[in-house]
C-alpha cells in the first residue's frame, strides 16, 4: 500500500466524489419525475398514455445504459441535440433509472389493496381523488425501499459517465491508475468514497422507510 | 315520506365471463326497510350488493335508486360523475373493513365529506365526533386503524359511511371476520341504526341477528331469489325445500 | 447532419461478429459467476471465520462499488501482478466476480430459506447426506433463487457492454469501430441498441422457461 501516494491524491478524489454526488442527485430527481409520470400513465385506462409508458420502460430496461448514454452524447448532435458531458450524463442516467423507477412505483401502487380503492369510490370520491388521497399516500410508503435500491444502483451506475469524460470518481481513479500504475490503491481510494455515499443513502432510505411505514 | 321503493331491482343478470352469477333478480326495498340477505356461500349475495352501487356493472336488467336508474348507459365521464353522486347516498360496509390505514379513525370519517365539499373541516370534525360517539368510540378518535380491534375498526367503518349521510346502507357480512366476542358491539350499532329507520340491506350468515333486526328476509341460492318474507314466516315455516335444507344446515351447524 | 441508415450496410458483419462476442462473453460470465457465487455462498455460511470474514469483506466491497471501477482494478491489477491476460479473459473475470457477489447473496439466502426440518426429514427417510442435499435441499434452494438469479443474468447481458472500455471487441466496441470509420454514431449505436434489445428479449424468455422448469421441483 502506497500511503504517501494516497495522501497526495485524495483531495482530487474528494472533488470527484462531489461530482459523482451531484450527477447522481440530479439524475435521481429526473428519474423520479419520469418514473412517477410513466407509472401513472402505465396504469391509466387510456391506451394513449399506457402504451408509450410501457414502451419507455421496455426500451430503457431492455438495452444497456452505456449505449443509451453514447446514443445521447455522441449521436445527439446528429439530431440537433448538442449536450455537454455533464448534462448528457444527468439526462442519460436519469432517463435510464426512470424506467426502473417506473416499475418500482407502479409495483407499489398496484400493491395497495384493491379494497382501498373500492372503499374510497363507495364514499363517492372520484377516481383521481381516490388515487390522490387514498392510494398514493399508501403507495408512497411502499415505494421508499424499492426506490432506494434504484437510487443506490444509480449512484454506482453513474460511473459510466466517466466514459464521456465527466471528471467524477471512476474517471479520476482510471486516470490515476494509468498515470501511477497503482490500481489497487486507486481502487481502494475511490471505493471509500463510493462506500460512504452508498452507505449514507442506504441508511437514510432505511430511516425514511421506518418513519413512514404503516403498522399492519 | 313516500312509499315508493328506494331501491328497486328488476330482472338483474350478472355474468363473470361465461359464468352467470345472478340469474334474474327482482327486489324492492322500501324507505326505512331492513332487509336481510341470506343464502349459501357463492349464491351471489355480495355480487348483488355490489351491483347496487355499481362496484360491479351488470349484464342486463335495471337498478333504481331513489327513483333514478343506476345503471344508465352513459359515456365514461358522465357515468363516473353520475356514480360519484349516487354513491354518496349509499353507504357500504365491507367484511374486511377497508379502513384507510394512513389516516386516524376520525380522519377516516371526515375525509370524504370534506373532499367532496359537503362540510367544512370544522363541521366535519364535529359531525365525526358525534358519529364516533354514537358507535361508542369517542376515545379512539385519534387512533390509527392498526391500533384498533376488529370490532372497533368495523364501527369506525360504519361511522365513515354514515358521515356521508346516506339514504341507505349496504352491509356485506360485516361481522364474519371478527372474533366471536367482538360481534356483539358491531351488531349493536346496526340495531341502533335499524331503530332510527335507516334503510339497510344486510348480508349475513347470522340468522338469529337477521331475525332480530330485519323486517324482511330474502333467501338467495344459485343466483336467484328462492324465497322471501318476514323473518318469522321465513324462518319458522319456509315454503321451499332449498330454504328448509339451508336453514336446517345452518341451525345444526 | 441528418440520419442515414443505409450506412449500416456493409457493417452487418462487424455488428454480428460483435453480437456473437457479446453472447459468448455473457454466457461465459454467467457460468463462471454462478460457480464463484456458489462457492462464496458456501464460504459465507461456513463455520470457519478465516474463510467467512474475507469473503464477506469482498462481497461488501464489491456490492458498494461500480462495475466499471472493478473492471479497471482487475484489468490493470492483473497486469501489475504479472498476469498479462487478454482483454476478453479480463472482462469475463471482472463480470463474473461482480455478479458472483450478488449471486452469492441470493444463493445464501436461498439455502438458509430451505427449512432445516426438510433436511432432517429427508435423512430420517433413510437418505444419505449427499442424497438429501441432491434430492431435497438443492432443488428447493434452486427454486427459491431462480427468479433473482435470472434477473442477475439479464442484468449481466446489459452490463457486459462496459468491458468495451478495456478493449473487448464485443458489440459496443464493434459499433464504436464502425463509427470511427463512418462518423455516424447515431445510426450505429441505435443498431447496437436494437441488437441488445433482441438479445435481452431472448434471454428473458430463456430465463422464464428455466423458472417454469424449476417450479416443477417445488
Ligand atoms: N370478480 C369475480 N370474477 C369471477 N367470478 C366471481 C367474481 N366475484 C364473484 N365471483 C363468483 O360469483 C359467485 C357469487 O359470488 P358472491 O361473492 O356474490 O357470493 P356470496 O353469496 O357473497 O358468497 P359468500 O357467502 O361466500 O360471500 C361465486 O361463484 C364467485 O366465485
Ligand atoms: Mg359474499
Amino acid at each position: 500500500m502506497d500511503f504517501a501516494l494516497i495522501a497526495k491524491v485524495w483531495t482530487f478524489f474528494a472533488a470527484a466524489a462531489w461530482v459523482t454526488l451531484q450527477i447522481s442527485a440530479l439524475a435521481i430527481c429526473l428519474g423520479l419525475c419520469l418514473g412517477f409520470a410513466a407509472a401513472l400513465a402505465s396504469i391509466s385506462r387510456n391506451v394513449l398514455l399506457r402504451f408509450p409508458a410501457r414502451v419507455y420502460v421496455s426500451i430503457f430496461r431492455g438495452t444497456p445504459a452505456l449505449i443509451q448514454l453514447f446514443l445521447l452524447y455522441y449521436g445527439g448532435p446528429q439530431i440537433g441535440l448538442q449536450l455537454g458531458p455533464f448534462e448528457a450524463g444527468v439526462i442519460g442516467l436519469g432517463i435510464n433509472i426512470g424506467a426502473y423507477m417506473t416499475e418500482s412505483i407502479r409495483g407499489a401502487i398496484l400493491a395497495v389493496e384493491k379494497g382501498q380503492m373500492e372503499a374510497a369510490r363507495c364514499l363517492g370520491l372520484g377516481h383521481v381523488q381516490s388515487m390522490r388521497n387514498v392510494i398514493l399516500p399508501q403507495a408512497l410508503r411502499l415505494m421508499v425501499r424499492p426506490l432506494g435500491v434504484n437510487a443506490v444502483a444509480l449512484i454506482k451506475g453513474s460511473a459510466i459517465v466517466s466514459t464521456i469524460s465527466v471528471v467524477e470518481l471512476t474517471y479520476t481513479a482510471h486516470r490515476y491508475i494509468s498515470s501511477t500504475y497503482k490500481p489497487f490503491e486507486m481502487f481502494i481510494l475511490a471505493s471509500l468514497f463510493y462506500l460512504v455515499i452508498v452507505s449514507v443513502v442506504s441508511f437514510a432510505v432505511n430511516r425514511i422507510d421506518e418513519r413512514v411505514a404503516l403498522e399492519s | 315520506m313516500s312509499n315508493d321503493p328506494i331501491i328497486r331491482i328488476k330482472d338483474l343478470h350478472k355474468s363473470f365471463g361465461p359464468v352467470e352469477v345472478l340469474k334474474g333478480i327482482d327486489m324492492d326495498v322500501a324507505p326505512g326497510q331492513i332487509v336481510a340477505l341470506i343464502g349459501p356461500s357463492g349464491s351471489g349475495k355480495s355480487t348483488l350488493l355490489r351491483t347496487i352501487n355499481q362496484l360491479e356493472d351488470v349484464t342486463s336488467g335495471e337498478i333504481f335508486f331513489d327513483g333514478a336508474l343506476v345503471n344508465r348507459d352513459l359515456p365514461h365521464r358522465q357515468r363516473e360523475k353520475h356514480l360519484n353522486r349516487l354513491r354518496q347516498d349509499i353507504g357500504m360496509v365491507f367484511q374486511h373493513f377497508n379502513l384507510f390505514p394512513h389516516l386516524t379513525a376520525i380522519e377516516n370519517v371526515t375525509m370524504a365529506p370534506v373532499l367532496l365539499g359537503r362540510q367544512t373541516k370544522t363541521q366535519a370534525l364535529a359531525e365525526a365526533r358525534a358519529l364516533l360517539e354514537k358507535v361508542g368510540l369517542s376515545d379512539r378518535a385519534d387512533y390509527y386503524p392498526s391500533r384498533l380491534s376488529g370490532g372497533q375498526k368495523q364501527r369506525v367503518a360504519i361511522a365513515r359511511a354514515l358521515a356521508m349521510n346516506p339514504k341507505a346502507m349496504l352491509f356485506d357480512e360485516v361481522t364474519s371476520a371478527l372474533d366471536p366476542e367482538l360481534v356483539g358491539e358491531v351488531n349493536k350499532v346496526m340495531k341502533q341504526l335499524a331503530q332510527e329507520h335507516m334503510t339497510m340491506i344486510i348480508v349475513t350468515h347470522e340468522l338469529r341477528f337477521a331475525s332480530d333486526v330485519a323486517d324482511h328476509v330474502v333467501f338467495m341460492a344459485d343466483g336467484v331469489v328462492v324465497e322471501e318474507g318476514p323473518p318469522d314466516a321465513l324462518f319458522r315455516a319456509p315454503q321451499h325445500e332449498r330454504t328448509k335444507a339451508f336453514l336446517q344446515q345452518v341451525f345444526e351447524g | 447532419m441528418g440520419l442515414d441508415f443505409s450506412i449500416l450496410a456493409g457493417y452487418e458483419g462487424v455488428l454480428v461478429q460483435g453480437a456473437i462476442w457479446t453472447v459468448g462473453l455473457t454466457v461465459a460470465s454467467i457460468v463462471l459467476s454462478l460457480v464463484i457465487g456458489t462457492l462464496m455462498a458456501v464460504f459465507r455460511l461456513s463455520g470457519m471465520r478465516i474463510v467467512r470474514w474475507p469473503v464477506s469483506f469482498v462481497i461488501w466491497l464489491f456490492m458498494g462499488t461500480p462495475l466499471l471501477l472493478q473492471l479497471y482494478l482487475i484489468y490493470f491489477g492483473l497486469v501489475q501482478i504479472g498476469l498479462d491476460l487478454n482483454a476478453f479473459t479480463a472482462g469475463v473475470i471482472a463480470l463474473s466476480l461482480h455478479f458472483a457477489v450478488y449471486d452469492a447473496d441470493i444463493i445464501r439466502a436461498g439455502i438458509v430459506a430451505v427449512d432445516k426440518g426438510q433436511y432432517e426429514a429427508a435423512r430420517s427417510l433413510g437418505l444419505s447426506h449427499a442424497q438429501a442435499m441432491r434430492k431435497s435441499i438443492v432443488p428447493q434452494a434452486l427454486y427459491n433463487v431462480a427468479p433473482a438469479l435470472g434477473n442477475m443474468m439479464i442484468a449481466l447481458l446489459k452490463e457486459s457492454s462496459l468491458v468495451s472500455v478495456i478493449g473487448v471487441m464485443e458489440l459496443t466496441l464493434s459499433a464504436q469501430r464502425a463509427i470511427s470509420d463512418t462518423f455516424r454514431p447515431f445510426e450505429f449505436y441505435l443498431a447496437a441498441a436494437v441488437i441488445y434489445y433482441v438479445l435481452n428479449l431472448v434471454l428473458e424468455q430463456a430465463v422464464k422457461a428455466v423458472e417454469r422448469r424449476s417450479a416443477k421441483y417445488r
Side-chain angles (χ1 to χ4, degrees):
Chain A
M1 256 309 206
D2 188 343
F3 286 105
L5 177 63
I6 290 179
K8 212 168 82 189
V9 299
W10 80 271
T11 48
F12 296 103
F13 280 76
W18 174 235
V19 176
T20 288
L21 208 54
Q22 282 176 308
I23 213 164
S24 301
L26 291 171
I28 287 169
C29 290
L30 177 59
L32 282 173
C33 296
L34 289 169
F36 269 102
L40 289 176
S42 77
I43 54 167
S44 153
R45 282 168 24 93
N46 187 342
V47 68
L48 290 177
L49 293 172
R50 206 167 58 218
F51 185 69
R54 296 276 162 85
V55 170
Y56 163 59
V57 169
S58 168
I59 289 178
F60 285 89
R61 293 183 68 199
T63 55
L66 187 66
I67 292 281
Q68 294 162 23
L69 187 66
F70 286 169
L71 197 51
L72 179 68
Y73 182 66
Y74 296 114
Q78 276 175 272
I79 53 168
L81 203 66
Q82 199 104 37
L83 295 168
F86 189 86
E87 293 81 50
V90 168
I91 295 172
L93 291 174
I95 294 178
N96 178 259
I97 204 66
Y100 290 89
M101 288 179 159
T102 302
E103 291 297 87
S104 300
I105 295 168
R106 180 182 137 87
I109 294 174
L110 295 181
V112 176
E113 262 182 66
K114 184 164 151 275
Q116 292 290 311
M117 181 55 104
E118 287 189 349
R121 297 307 303 271
C122 275
L123 291 165
L125 299 186
H127 180 81
V128 175
Q129 275 177 322
S130 308
M131 262 305 191
R132 189 159 56 218
N133 296 286
V134 175
I135 305 301
L136 287 181
Q138 294 180 57
L140 278 175
R141 294 163 159 88
L142 296 175
M143 67 182 72
V144 171
R145 230 163 242 285
L147 286 178
V149 170
N150 294 146
V152 167
L154 182 279
I155 292 166
K156 289 182 280 177
S158 72
I160 63 171
V161 301
S162 64
T163 61
I164 58 169
S165 58
V166 177
V167 186
E168 43 71 87
L169 264 174
T170 297
Y171 182 94
T172 305
H174 183 208
R175 199 173 72 196
Y176 280 103
I177 290 173
S178 310
S179 62
T180 65
Y181 297 103
K182 300 275 188 196
F184 188 69
E185 282 82 351
M186 297 304 116
F187 172 78
I188 290 294
L189 192 46
S191 297
L192 277 179
F193 285 101
Y194 276 114
L195 287 167
V196 167
I197 297 174
V198 165
S199 305
V200 168
V201 170
S202 304
F203 178 78
V205 167
N206 283 342
R207 285 302 297 272
I208 295 172
D209 185 63
E210 279 162 22
R211 278 290 288 280
V212 301
L214 292 168
E215 291 175 46
S216 52
Chain B
M1 198 198 290
S2 82
N3 265 338
D4 288 342
I6 185 161
I7 297 171
R8 161 160 281 182
I9 295 169
K10 279 162 87 173
D11 195 27
L12 185 68
H13 291 258
K14 167 72 185 174
S15 303
F16 288 110
V19 188
E20 191 168 44
V21 173
L22 299 179
K23 305 169 182 166
I25 305 276
D26 291 282
M27 188 162 135
D28 278 353
V29 180
Q33 194 174 31
I34 290 123
V35 176
L37 192 53
I38 62 171
S41 186
S43 55
K45 306 178 298 290
S46 297
T47 307
L48 175 60
L49 215 58
R50 291 160 60 86
T51 57
I52 295 175
N53 60 7
Q54 292 285 285
L55 283 183
E56 305 285 356
D57 51 10
V58 307
T59 309
S60 70
E62 289 173 323
I63 303 165
F64 293 92
F65 185 82
D66 209 15
L69 183 59
V70 168
N71 54 325
R72 257 191 288 169
D73 224 356
L74 291 170
H76 178 72
R77 239 165 231 282
Q78 275 163 276
R79 186 179 137 83
E80 288 281 290
K81 249 187 172 163
H82 154 74
L83 288 181
N84 292 344
R85 186 72 213 75
L86 173 92
R87 285 171 178 155
Q88 297 183 29
D89 288 337
I90 307 176
M92 183 156 193
V93 187
F94 301 87
Q95 182 176 0
H96 294 287
F97 329 122
N98 296 350
L99 284 184
F100 306 133
H102 60 300
L103 301 178
T104 60
I106 197 157
E107 287 167 348
N108 264 275
V109 180
T110 56
M111 185 183 83
V114 173
L115 279 178
L116 293 168
R118 284 281 194 97
Q119 294 163 351
T120 65
K121 194 136 199 177
T122 332
Q123 285 171 326
L125 276 174
E127 177 82 2
R129 281 210 189 85
L131 283 169
L132 287 177
E133 166 129 45
K134 176 171 176 166
V135 299
L137 289 172
S138 332
D139 54 336
R140 294 288 186 275
D142 296 320
Y143 281 48
Y144 281 92
S146 57
R147 294 288 173 88
L148 299 173
S149 73
Q152 291 170 335
K153 281 185 204 166
Q154 199 58 293
R155 286 183 282 152
V156 174
I158 293 173
R160 176 176 73 177
L162 290 174
M164 292 305 294
N165 207 1
K167 293 178 182 157
M169 292 277 285
L170 310 175
F171 294 86
D172 192 358
E173 295 192 32
V174 296
T175 55
S176 311
L178 299 181
D179 293 338
E181 71 271 19
L182 301 178
V183 169
E185 61 192 58
V186 175
N187 281 348
K188 197 176 124 201
V189 171
M190 289 164 73
K191 267 186 198 157
Q192 194 186 336
L193 286 177
Q195 278 155 13
E196 295 165 10
H197 302 293
M198 169 62 82
T199 308
M200 303 198 274
I201 302 182
I202 303 170
V203 173
T204 181
H205 284 295
E206 291 176 78
L207 300 190
R208 191 170 310 283
F209 176 68
S211 89
D212 265 7
V213 75
D215 36 42
H216 192 75
V217 179
V218 175
F219 172 66
M220 269 181 79
D222 296 329
V224 296
V225 173
V226 176
E227 186 169 352
E228 58 184 312
D232 276 353
L234 195 119
F235 288 133
R236 295 248 174 76
Q239 300 297 303
H240 289 259
E241 283 308 317
R242 196 85 176 72
T243 322
K244 279 179 204 166
F246 174 73
L247 293 175
Q248 198 163 20
Q249 197 189 354
V250 173
F251 282 124
E252 275 171 12
Chain C
M1 189 157 56
L3 300 181
D4 176 14
F5 285 94
S6 64
I7 194 83
L8 296 175
Y11 288 94
E12 308 93 338
V14 175
L15 292 176
V16 168
Q17 196 71 35
I20 292 172
W21 278 106
T22 285
V23 170
L25 180 68
T26 303
V27 171
S29 304
I30 284 176
V31 172
L32 192 56
S33 72
L34 286 175
V35 172
I36 303 174
T38 309
L39 287 177
M40 282 181 161
V42 171
F43 282 149
R44 239 190 135 176
L45 287 169
S46 105
M48 286 184 296
R49 275 178 222 161
I50 192 139
V51 293
R52 200 174 66 208
W53 284 0
V55 169
S56 297
F57 176 74
V58 168
I59 288 179
W60 174 76
L61 189 62
F62 268 46
M63 277 196 151
T65 52
L67 169 59
L68 199 52
L69 189 64
Q70 294 161 15
L71 197 57
Y72 291 138
L73 170 73
I74 288 163
Y75 184 59
F76 292 102
L78 287 174
V79 173
Q80 213 191 16
I81 58 170
L83 273 174
D84 203 354
L85 300 172
N86 63 27
F88 182 85
T89 311
V92 169
I93 293 175
L95 279 172
S96 310
L97 273 180
H98 177 79
F99 280 92
V101 159
Y102 292 91
D103 291 352
D105 224 38
I106 294 164
I107 293 169
R108 187 183 65 113
I111 293 175
V112 171
V114 178
D115 197 8
K116 210 172 167 185
Q118 297 270 351
Y119 174 81
E120 279 153 15
R123 288 306 296 272
S124 74
L125 286 173
L127 273 70
S128 71
H129 168 78
Q131 280 172 323
M133 285 305 266
R134 205 170 58 233
K135 292 243 151 73
S136 167
I137 307 302
V138 172
Q140 284 198 55
L142 271 181
Y143 172 82
N144 289 343
V145 300
L149 286 182
N151 286 341
M152 283 301 131
M153 295 173 191
I154 291 165
L156 194 150
L157 168 64
K158 285 174 280 180
E159 299 283 280
S160 74
S161 61
L162 292 192
V163 302
S164 61
V165 303
I166 59 167
V168 182
M169 244 317 179
E170 42 64 82
L171 183 50
T172 304
L173 193 55
S174 301
Q176 270 166 23
R177 286 291 150 86
I179 291 164
S180 56
D181 260 15
T182 59
F183 303 105
R184 290 280 176 180
F186 196 94
E187 288 86 344
F188 280 99
Y189 283 133
L190 191 62
V194 170
I195 297 174
Y196 273 116
Y197 188 79
V198 172
L199 292 178
N200 186 60
L201 274 186
V202 172
L203 183 57
E204 274 179 357
Q205 290 311 313
V207 164
K208 269 189 201 146
V210 173
E211 269 171 39
R212 273 196 299 273
R213 302 237 358 220
S214 76
K216 210 173 57 178
Y217 292 110
R218 191 69 231 252

